[in-house]
């Protein structure tokens, strides 16, 4: 959750002028191969953080879920008419504090898509059950996975022990400083799930994503720990005693890793990692975990060549991308290679996409989608209007408090 406590917020205000003087806001913009049109999905949030795209009502198009925390304390489902027009449904309410990041999967194996979500601060992981009629006006049934993940922050979903049931892994921000996974017994509606600690005493865990990094057919985990400048993957090994995890360093030299995703960036058949670095950028801050250098704020990708041999080779897509918060990737322009989308939180808050010109190791072109969008945070890519072209959806919390999507209009007509 990208929120400052009071003392750090005051520090942020004090150093904004300094930050502005040290950081160039000029973006080297080049003519884009494709065009996007911007659309507001919803505004007037208390705090917009946490979105996911999925076909919740099984009508063949992608809907959108979105979290809205105190004092609204709600979870929304935006029903898609198939063309990118959305009808808002409240599927959870009066769930105080911080419903935030979430993922979608069939938790109870009944053929429809449920939502697994963190409840930050309280230390809860929850799942909300899709009845099969998700837009009937009724609240989705609420289930507790655990109340023992202090500062619950991010989630990953996979069948970690290969028993046919979807398990959950989570990170825990500064209150818990740990990664853990929670075992789905096959009866997820009844009782808390068994907790298995992956690693404890890891300061400020952020990203948690499942992917098969070593190509052995099981689900490994990607984790970032902003407080100790560490990006790592955890190798899943099945033993007679259960699942064991071995940590492999991807990068422990770059400052303030935050959010990223597994993706095959170079087309060689294995999963690399695209990532945002540099959040929070607070020059002069006494908190040593904060970034002091504008060059820390980067969008990068790490090459999976010898995954256990780390660190992985780092390729910089963009430096000085102020307060870079999250990065994800997709072939946006349909040319057969993978492009990147990223957000910056403050200084001043942006959404941009980075065009892969054929060699992902160099010569990226930046295309700005939105500037002065304060507190931009999570960003995802999904085809929201069913035209076969990936669109971009992002949310922004304090200062903007809204969710927007950028429709991919394709290549301009001559």
């Amino acid at each position: 959750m990208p929120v400052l406590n009071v003392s750090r917020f005051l520090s942020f205000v004090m150093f904004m002028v300094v930050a502005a003087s040290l950081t160039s806001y000029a973006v080297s913009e080049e003519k884009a191969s494709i065009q996007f049109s911007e659309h507001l999905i919803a505004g007037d949030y208390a705090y917009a953080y946490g979105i996911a795209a999925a076909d919740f009502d099984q009508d063949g198009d992608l809907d959108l879920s979105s979290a809205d925390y105190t004092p609204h304390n709600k979870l929304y489902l935006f029903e898609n008419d198939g063309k990118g027009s959305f009808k808002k449904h409240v599927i959870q309410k009066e769930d105080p504090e911080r419903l935030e990041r979430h993922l979608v999967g069939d938790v109870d194996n009944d053929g429809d898509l449920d939502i697994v979500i963190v409840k930050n601060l309280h230390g809860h992981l929850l799942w909300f059950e899709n009845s099969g009629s998700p837009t009937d006006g009724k609240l989705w049934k609420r289930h507790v996975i655990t109340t023992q993940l202090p500062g619950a922050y991010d989630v990953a979903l996979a069948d970690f022990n290969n028993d046919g049931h979807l398990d959950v892994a989570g990170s825990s921000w500064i209150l818990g400083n740990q990664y853990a996974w929670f075992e789905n017994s096959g009866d997820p509606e009844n009782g808390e799930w068994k907790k298995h600690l992956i690693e404890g005493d890891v300061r400020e865990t952020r990203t948690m994503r499942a992917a098969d990094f070593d190509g052995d057919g099981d689900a490994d985990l990607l984790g970032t720990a902003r407080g100790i400048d560490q990006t790592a993957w955890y190798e899943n090994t099945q033993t007679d005693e259960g699942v064991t995890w071995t940590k492999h360093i991807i990068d422990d030299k770059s400052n303030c890793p935050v959010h990223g995703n597994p993706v095959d960036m170079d087309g060689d058949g294995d999963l690399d990692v695209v990532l945002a670095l540099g959040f929070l950028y607070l020059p002069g801050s006494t908190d040593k975990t904060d970034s002091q250098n504008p060059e820390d704020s980067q969008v990068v990708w790490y090459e999976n060549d010898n995954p256990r041999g780390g660190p992985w080779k780092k390729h910089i897509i963009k430096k000085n991308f102020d307060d870079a918060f999250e990065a994800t990737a997709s072939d946006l322009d349909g040319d057969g290679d993978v492009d990147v989308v990223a957000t910056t939180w403050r200084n001043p808050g942006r959404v941009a996409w980075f065009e892969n010109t054929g060699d992902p190791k160099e010569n990226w072109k930046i295309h700005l989608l939105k500037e002065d969008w304060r507190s931009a945070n999570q960003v995802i890519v999904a085809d929201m209007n069913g035209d076969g072209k990936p669109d971009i959806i992002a949310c922004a919390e304090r200062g903007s408090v809204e969710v927007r999507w950028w429709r991919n209009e394709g290549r301009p007509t001559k």
Side-chain angles (χ1 to χ4, degrees):
M1 176 203 59
V3 179
L4 299 174
N5 62 31
V6 173
S7 61
R8 298 190 73 201
F9 178 75
L10 293 175
S11 296
F12 180 84
V13 173
M14 291 172 63
F15 293 121
M16 279 298 290
V17 174
V18 177
S21 67
L22 292 177
T23 307
S24 171
Y25 293 158
V27 176
S28 177
E29 184 83 14
E30 299 188 49
K31 186 176 180 181
S33 58
I34 55 174
Q35 296 175 331
F36 288 86
S37 59
E38 182 179 329
H39 305 267
L40 177 68
I41 293 177
D44 298 321
Y45 282 73
Y47 184 99
Y49 187 38
I51 50 177
D55 186 4
F56 291 107
D57 53 7
Q58 301 185 64
D59 65 352
D61 55 41
L62 292 178
D63 311 298
L64 190 75
S65 55
S66 178
D68 189 1
Y69 95 145
T70 302
H72 292 172
N73 303 319
K74 293 178 181 178
L75 182 64
Y76 307 124
L77 189 155
F78 292 95
E79 180 186 2
N80 191 348
D81 69 353
K83 300 178 182 179
S85 293
F86 299 93
K87 181 179 180 181
K88 181 178 176 180
H89 303 271
V90 176
I91 59 175
Q92 173 65 9
K93 65 181 181 179
E94 297 175 0
D95 212 321
E97 288 296 343
R98 296 174 176 172
L99 291 174
E100 294 183 346
R101 292 177 75 95
H102 54 275
L103 285 183
V104 175
D106 187 1
V107 174
D108 51 4
N109 280 334
D110 67 350
D112 53 35
L113 293 174
D114 311 300
I115 293 174
V116 178
I117 192 166
V118 303
K119 187 168 183 176
N120 200 312
L121 293 188
H122 281 299
H124 299 180
L125 284 178
L126 310 174
W127 73 279
F128 293 111
E129 182 179 350
N130 184 342
S131 68
S133 301
T135 60
D136 62 2
K138 299 178 181 178
L139 298 182
W140 290 21
K141 191 173 182 180
R142 181 186 193 271
H143 303 280
V144 176
I145 295 172
T146 187
T147 60
Q148 301 301 313
L149 191 66
Y153 184 82
D154 200 7
V155 292
L157 308 183
D159 181 4
F160 295 115
N161 56 357
N162 292 322
D163 67 352
H165 308 301
L166 194 62
D167 307 304
V168 176
S171 61
S172 60
W173 198 47
I174 58 176
L175 299 180
N177 296 318
Q178 63 186 254
Y179 303 112
W181 75 280
F182 301 85
E183 185 176 352
N184 184 343
S185 68
D187 187 20
E189 300 93 339
N190 297 307
E192 293 194 14
W193 301 18
K194 185 176 180 180
K195 178 180 179 179
H196 304 271
L197 187 67
I198 298 170
E199 186 178 13
D201 299 319
V202 184
R203 184 173 180 183
E204 196 177 337
T205 55
R206 292 274 185 161
T207 284
M208 187 102 283
R209 286 290 178 265
D212 184 5
F213 288 111
D214 52 4
D216 66 352
D218 55 31
D220 309 305
L221 284 166
L222 169 68
T224 62
R226 179 189 166 276
I228 57 172
D229 299 330
Q230 185 179 98
T231 301
W233 72 280
Y234 294 81
E235 181 180 359
N236 181 343
T237 303
Q238 310 287 321
T239 70
D240 291 339
E241 289 73 34
V243 177
T244 64
W245 302 91
T246 304
K247 181 167 72 171
H248 303 281
I249 297 297
I250 294 175
D251 184 6
D252 59 1
K253 304 299 181 186
S254 299
N255 289 335
C256 302
V258 198
H259 288 291
N261 288 278
V263 62
D264 184 1
M265 292 295 300
D266 50 8
D268 65 354
D270 54 36
L271 290 173
D272 312 298
V273 173
V274 63
L275 189 65
L277 304 168
F279 172 84
L280 290 163
Y281 172 52
L282 286 176
S285 171
T286 58
D287 187 333
K288 298 305 181 183
T289 68
D290 292 332
S291 169
Q292 305 289 318
N293 187 340
E295 291 193 358
D296 291 343
S297 294
Q298 301 174 359
V299 180
V300 305
W301 70 278
Y302 295 100
E303 184 177 356
N304 182 352
D305 185 18
N306 176 18
R308 298 181 183 88
W312 295 12
K313 188 172 183 181
K314 174 182 170 182
H315 302 281
I316 297 176
I317 296 171
K318 178 73 172 90
K319 287 184 178 179
N320 295 86
F321 197 58
D322 308 312
D323 260 350
F325 189 80
E326 183 153 19
T328 191
S330 179
D331 183 5
L332 296 172
D333 53 8
D335 65 354
D337 54 36
V338 179
D339 309 298
V340 171
V341 186
T343 56
T344 71
W345 188 60
R346 299 263 169 98
N347 301 337
R350 297 190 181 107
V351 182
W353 75 278
F354 301 86
E355 183 179 355
N356 184 342
T357 60
D359 183 354
K361 299 177 183 178
E362 60 183 3
N363 299 326
W364 290 82
K365 296 180 180 179
I366 182 172
H367 305 294
L368 192 64
L369 293 174
K370 192 169 186 64
E371 195 162 17
D372 297 320
W373 200 40
R374 190 171 176 83
S375 306
N377 50 61
Q378 190 173 8
V379 61
I380 60 176
V381 175
D383 180 7
M384 300 308 297
N385 61 336
D387 64 356
K389 297 187 288 290
D391 306 311
I392 297 167
I393 308 96
C395 48
E397 35 102 350
R398 291 188 175 94
S400 301
V401 290
E402 59 188 16
V403 175
R404 292 183 176 268
W405 73 292
W406 288 264
R407 187 172 63 205
N408 187 338
E409 305 291 355
R411 298 184 182 277
T413 56
K414 294 183 179 179

